[in-house]
Amino acid sequence: MTKFRPCIDLHSGQVKQIVGGTLSDTDSGLKTNHVSKLPASHFSSLYREHGLEGAHVIMLGPGSEAAAQEALKAWPGGLQLGGGITTENARHWVEQGAQKVIVTSYLFPDARFSLDRLKAVLATLDNDVRKLVIDLSCRRTDATWKVAMSKWQVLTDMEVNQESIRLLEPYCCEFLIHAADNEGLQCGIDQELVVKLGQWCTIPVTYAGGARHLRDLDLFGTNQALRPELLNPSCLNTPAPPALQHLFTINTSTTIMKPVVSGTNAWSCVVVSVFAIVILSIIGGLFKSNHHSMVGTTKDPDNGPAVAGLSRFLRLSGIPT
């Protein structure tokens, strides 16, 4: 089953939608699609209100810890948290209210995968794999994908393939995989990667990167081989793609308006109203001209409209006139 998962990206304490490939240790080349004026807790409360469980809170660099705590406080046990997760703080963030923690760069010292580090992180969580998500966000290298770390600027020695997926699945409950080359560009999803993930993964995997219109979402729902869920980081009060704005209204606007009637019923009301205006206009014209069907006589009374009103009232009341 395909699900939509929102994401709260935090950069320097603010909620931002960032073009993934521009993120680095300095802000000089950073490109954003949107910087929200609203706090992270606002979006956390919004997602809680609409039951969007499993939303991600990602701390992109230092200075976002307080905002992350506020988001977790707004929905304890409802959000997954990532960004700088290590053996030193994994348990802390779960105790702060994170449903799960997402680990990335810590698993790759000197850009080389360390199974010992993965086991150590899991040990701090009492070896409860239900609390750990592994981030295998990657970039294309020719015909393959390599896990990228350090804000996706450094490629590791791990290729995303069936072998690596099988190696890691026993140690986590989910994967998070950004197509880093597509992230934030609204250029379409990496369909080849999505298909491969559907073939390789036997546990839930959240894909992110490049979603732009409904046809991208249809790929997840129509191909039975696909298991990835869809993460859309553009879940802000932001100029997201129109198709996503239409489909995920609760995430792209701070004011939620629901239609009272359907479009079909609304048009029916318009047509009935037009006919009513026409009929009432005809009746009014007949009254004004002292027509006998309205005033109850073929002779012209001194005050036709008054007589018509009285005559009409008496007839409707069942009193002979």
Side-chain angles (χ1 to χ4, degrees), residues 260-272:
V260 178
V261 297
S262 67
T264 302
N265 288 338
W267 276 110
S268 298
C269 291
V270 171
V271 172
V272 171

Side-chain angles (χ1 to χ4, degrees), residues 66-87:
Q69 287 181 331
E70 288 300 315
L72 295 178
K73 187 183 297 185
W75 193 1
L79 306 170
Q80 301 180 16
L81 183 129
I85 299 299
T86 69
T87 52

Side-chain angles (χ1 to χ4, degrees), residues 9-254:
D9 282 344
L10 297 173
H11 182 261
S12 300
Q14 291 182 286
V15 181
K16 300 181 181 181
Q17 208 285 305
I18 295 174
V19 178
T22 68
L23 191 62
S24 66
D25 292 331
T26 64
D27 293 343
S28 58
L30 185 69
K31 294 181 180 179
T32 60
N33 289 328
H34 182 75
V35 178
S36 178
K37 296 179 181 179
L38 299 169
S41 57
H42 165 83
F43 296 101
S44 178
S45 298
L46 185 65
Y47 302 153
R48 179 177 186 172
E49 179 183 352
H50 294 282
L52 295 174
E53 294 186 5
H56 293 188
V57 179
I58 307 296
M59 299 180 290
L60 301 171
S64 296
E65 290 80 4
Q69 287 181 331
E70 288 300 315
L72 295 178
K73 187 183 297 185
W75 193 1
L79 306 170
Q80 301 180 16
L81 183 129
I85 299 299
T86 69
T87 52
E88 301 297 323
N89 60 18
R91 187 180 187 90
H92 164 76
W93 283 113
V94 171
E95 292 172 347
Q96 289 294 309
Q99 180 189 66
K100 304 171 185 178
V101 289
I102 305 168
V103 64
T104 316
S105 297
Y106 183 74
L107 303 182
F108 298 89
D110 299 320
R112 300 181 65 84
F113 173 69
S114 170
L115 183 58
D116 289 338
R117 283 201 172 193
L118 173 56
K119 292 179 178 179
V121 172
L122 190 57
T124 68
L125 302 173
D126 299 324
N127 291 311
D128 187 349
V129 297
R130 295 171 301 175
K131 290 183 170 61
L132 187 62
V133 177
I134 296 179
D135 185 345
L136 295 179
S137 296
C138 56
R139 307 193 80 148
R140 269 186 178 271
T141 57
D142 298 325
T144 63
W145 298 268
K146 284 289 188 72
V147 175
M149 57 176 279
S150 298
K151 303 179 179 65
W152 303 334
Q153 299 303 310
V154 178
L155 295 181
T156 71
D157 66 339
M158 177 173 280
E159 183 178 317
V160 179
N161 55 29
Q162 186 166 2
E163 181 181 355
S164 60
I165 293 294
R166 291 288 184 269
L167 171 67
L168 299 173
E169 281 188 336
Y171 300 96
C172 64
C173 63
E174 298 179 23
F175 291 116
L176 166 61
I177 301 181
H178 290 78
D181 297 311
N182 299 48
E183 174 64 17
L185 295 176
Q186 299 172 6
C187 59
I189 66 174
D190 187 334
Q191 295 190 25
E192 185 179 354
L193 176 60
V194 169
V195 171
K196 292 294 186 182
L197 293 175
Q199 296 171 350
W200 296 335
C201 299
T202 61
I203 62 175
V205 52
T206 297
Y207 168 88
R212 58 181 175 177
H213 48 54
L214 293 177
R215 289 192 299 276
D216 290 328
L217 305 181
D218 289 342
L219 176 64
F220 291 84
T222 57
N223 190 326
Q224 296 301 313
L226 303 185
R227 297 186 185 88
E229 298 177 332
L230 176 68
L231 178 71
N232 177 34
S234 302
C235 308
L236 316 174
N237 184 25
T238 172
L244 293 182
Q245 288 183 345
H246 175 75
L247 186 61
F248 306 120
T249 306
I250 59 175
N251 301 319
T252 54
S253 175
T254 56

